[in-house]
Amino acid sequence: QIHLQQSGPGLVKPSQTLSVTCAISGDSVSSNSAAWNWIRQSPSRGLEWLGRTYYRSKWYNDYAVSVKSRITIMPDTSKNQFSLQLNSVTPEDTAVYYCARVTHPGRIVDYWGQGTLVTVSS
Amino acid sequence: QSVLTQPPSASGSPGQRVTISCSGSSSNIGSDTVNWFQQLPGTAPKLLIYSNDQRTSGVPERFSGSKSGTSASLAISGLQSEDEADYYCAAWDDSLKGYVFGAGTKVTVL
């Protein structure tokens, strides 16, 4: 059974960096049949895909245009996890952040983490 | 503003049929498959339907999905009280090179 367990601080100050980690069990971050994604949800923006990392003989990343200049998603093969870093945050980045697995092929978003509420406030 | 368009709400009495629409474009629904998610308050979205019309294991047969051109729909027949939730459609967008979602439809059982 696949399980995604998120961890990270719930409060970040404006202009600082938001960091959330997603630990994977039951699958591998290096799997050739999955991509590992970050999605956030807020009342003002709804569900918003932020980006993904995946391994196909080498590592690839794709990021949403809205956050491309501020985001980094990194795999950690030694711990079988991946992380999200979002720089220069503002109160607009306050949201519930989810990690999720998307299958390849098929692009099915089949497993989600439990969600991490991150509030950006001084 | 979401890329995929859903009605904000839908309702029905127990036992009735409710249909939720999801409208997109040629770069998303028109060229890729649609997933549907159910979200209960305080929980992560749960995959309900994938590849337009395939039910995830354990999902009751009263849930069904379909797609035609650049639109998709989710139908709930024999509506039950436990079906009260928010429902979201999603698809990959080839122009945006990212996953796009609808704004969600809140289903109320009267």
Side-chain angles (χ1 to χ4, degrees):
Chain A
Q1 179 69 341
I2 293 163
H3 184 69
L4 304 179
Q5 183 67 40
Q6 298 178 218
S7 60
L11 182 64
V12 181
K13 288 183 166 51
S15 80
Q16 294 193 342
T17 296
L18 177 161
S19 295
V20 189
T21 298
C22 182
I24 303 163
S25 56
D27 199 353
S28 169
V29 71
S30 304
S31 169
N32 278 298
S33 58
W36 304 96
N37 295 249
W38 286 99
I39 296 163
R40 68 182 177 183
Q41 185 174 29
S42 66
S44 59
R45 303 170 76 98
L47 283 164
E48 180 184 15
W49 177 82
L50 298 177
R52 62 179 181 174
T53 188
Y54 57 99
Y55 186 77
R56 305 285 184 265
S57 303
K58 68 174 187 176
W59 288 102
Y60 294 87
N61 290 101
D62 294 310
Y63 299 128
V65 170
S66 61
V67 294
K68 192 165 189 173
S69 63
R70 303 191 289 131
I71 189 173
T72 303
I73 296 176
M74 289 188 302
D76 182 342
T77 57
S78 66
K79 295 181 179 178
N80 200 31
Q81 64 186 29
F82 64 109
S83 63
L84 164 71
Q85 287 191 345
L86 190 65
N87 303 325
S88 305
V89 296
T90 71
E92 282 276 299
D93 295 309
T94 294
V96 177
Y97 287 77
Y98 293 102
C99 59
R101 186 184 87 153
V102 178
T103 65
H104 171 77
R107 290 204 270 251
I108 302 166
V109 189
D110 57 357
Y111 290 96
W112 297 66
Q114 80 275 21
T116 300
L117 173 60
V118 179
T119 302
V120 179
S121 174
S122 54
Chain B
Q1 187 151 350
S2 300
V3 174
L4 304 182
T5 301
Q6 296 180 237
S9 63
S11 62
S13 300
Q16 286 190 327
R17 177 183 172 92
V18 165
T19 302
I20 301 168
S21 61
C22 176
S23 177
S25 68
S26 58
S27 64
N28 42 65
I29 293 177
S31 57
D32 204 8
T33 59
V34 177
N35 291 350
W36 287 92
F37 303 92
Q38 178 192 60
Q39 187 175 33
L40 299 171
T43 68
K46 168 192 161 187
L47 181 65
L48 212 58
I49 300 285
Y50 64 95
S51 300
N52 304 325
D53 56 9
Q54 301 298 301
R55 276 186 303 277
T56 302
S57 175
V59 171
E61 288 185 10
R62 64 177 184 276
F63 290 92
S64 62
S66 64
K67 179 185 126 172
S68 177
T70 59
S71 294
S73 62
L74 173 72
I76 311 172
S77 52
L79 196 63
Q80 299 186 7
S81 58
E82 59 259 39
D83 299 333
E84 272 205 350
D86 294 324
Y87 293 85
Y88 296 89
C89 58
W92 181 263
D93 191 296
D94 272 335
S95 293
L96 298 174
K97 297 295 185 224
Y99 221 76
V100 292
F101 293 88
T105 299
K106 184 174 185 60
V107 169
T108 303
V109 181
L110 302 171

